[in-house]
């Protein structure tokens, strides 16, 4: 399994710091379910600092730090936006975040959600379709962030092909 190979690579490569997993329940406010590969990762690892000696390190947050991206980045909850299902799971050396989508139809999609363009239609690139893909590409691109490379072609924008839902009870 890809995620097992990636975890072994993290634990044996001295460029990375891997803390032990902690025994606790992964609790999500609305009952969202984590993708299988991320759950498996958290059973094996706590917080992970990738390329920790480099200027462009990346921290994979431990499960207790998985919080809604909107609250973490903007301080507000946008309940009727697709971003309400995004949770921060990583932080880069500049303090910017990456988010994972926990909506069942987009489960596991990874977005570059920085403070400048968080949840802006047309400015939120899908940089991976799964946590495993994200981790594999990150380890291969050492120590640069692959999604910031000029040649990188992602999977479109988070808001592509999203139909707006109308809630008659909501006040807009």
């Amino acid at each position: 399994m890809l995620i097992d190979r990636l975890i072994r690579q993290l634990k044996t490569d001295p460029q990375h710091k891997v803390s032990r997993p902690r025994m606790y329940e992964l609790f999500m406010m609305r009952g969202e379910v984590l993708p299988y590969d991320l759950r498996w990762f958290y059973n094996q690892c706590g917080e992970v600092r990738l390329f920790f000696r480099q200027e462009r390190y990346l921290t994979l947050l431990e499960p207790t730090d998985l919080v809604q991206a909107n609250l973490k980045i903007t301080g507000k909850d946008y309940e009727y936006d697709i971003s309400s299902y995004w949770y921060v799971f990583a932080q880069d050396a500049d303090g910017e975040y990456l988010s994972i989508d926990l909506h069942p139809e987009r489960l596991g999609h990874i977005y570059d959600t920085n403070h400048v363009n968080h949840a802006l239609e047309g400015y939120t690139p899908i940089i991976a379709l799964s946590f495993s893909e994200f981790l594999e590409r990150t380890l291969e691109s050492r120590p640069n962030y692959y999604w910031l490379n000029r040649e990188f072609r992602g999977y479109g924008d988070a808001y592509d092909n999203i139909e707006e839902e109308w809630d008659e009870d909501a006040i807009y």
Side-chain angles (χ1 to χ4, degrees):
M1 185 176 344
L2 175 60
I3 192 66
D4 283 329
R5 180 177 57 79
L6 296 171
I7 292 169
R8 274 193 306 278
Q9 183 177 346
L10 287 173
K11 288 182 172 184
T12 59
D13 190 332
Q15 296 184 84
H16 314 298
K17 274 185 169 177
V18 180
S19 67
R20 294 181 310 165
R22 301 190 184 174
M23 297 309 222
Y24 43 70
E25 290 292 318
L26 294 173
F27 175 74
M28 296 292 148
M29 292 296 290
R30 297 179 306 190
E32 283 92 351
V33 175
L34 292 179
Y36 176 79
D37 55 353
L38 186 57
R39 275 194 331 251
W40 188 256
F41 176 83
Y42 283 140
N43 282 324
Q44 310 293 317
C45 306
E47 181 179 278
V48 175
R49 175 86 43 109
L50 303 170
F51 311 108
F52 74 95
R53 292 187 179 106
Q54 303 288 328
E55 184 178 321
R56 308 231 354 133
Y57 65 85
L58 184 69
T59 302
L60 302 178
L61 305 173
E62 62 179 84
T64 55
D65 293 329
L66 284 173
V67 295
Q68 280 189 310
N70 287 333
L71 294 174
K72 184 73 170 181
I73 296 169
T74 69
K76 298 178 183 175
D77 180 17
Y78 298 99
E79 184 178 353
Y80 299 103
D81 188 72
I82 66 168
S83 61
S84 68
Y85 288 92
W86 303 353
Y87 286 76
V88 296
F89 76 96
Q91 185 173 14
D92 71 15
D94 297 324
E96 299 294 351
Y97 296 101
L98 298 174
S99 299
I100 189 164
D101 199 331
L102 299 184
H103 188 279
E105 293 177 14
R106 301 177 303 273
L107 187 63
H109 289 190
I110 308 291
Y111 309 119
D112 183 3
T113 52
N114 60 55
H115 286 87
V116 175
N117 60 7
H118 169 71
L120 290 177
E121 187 172 349
Y123 296 94
T124 307
I126 304 168
I127 62 172
L129 297 178
S130 70
F131 176 73
S132 294
E133 177 192 354
F134 165 77
L135 188 54
E136 181 177 44
R137 292 180 87 165
T138 298
L139 293 173
E140 289 173 353
S141 68
R142 55 178 93 162
N144 298 314
Y145 304 140
Y146 74 88
W147 60 94
L148 298 179
N149 185 324
R150 289 181 192 260
E151 288 80 43
F152 173 70
R153 297 293 173 252
Y155 298 97
D157 187 76
Y159 289 85
D160 290 348
N161 304 314
I162 300 294
E163 292 185 29
E164 198 168 315
E165 295 180 16
W166 181 258
D167 183 351
E168 293 178 12
D169 296 328
I171 299 173
Y172 294 98

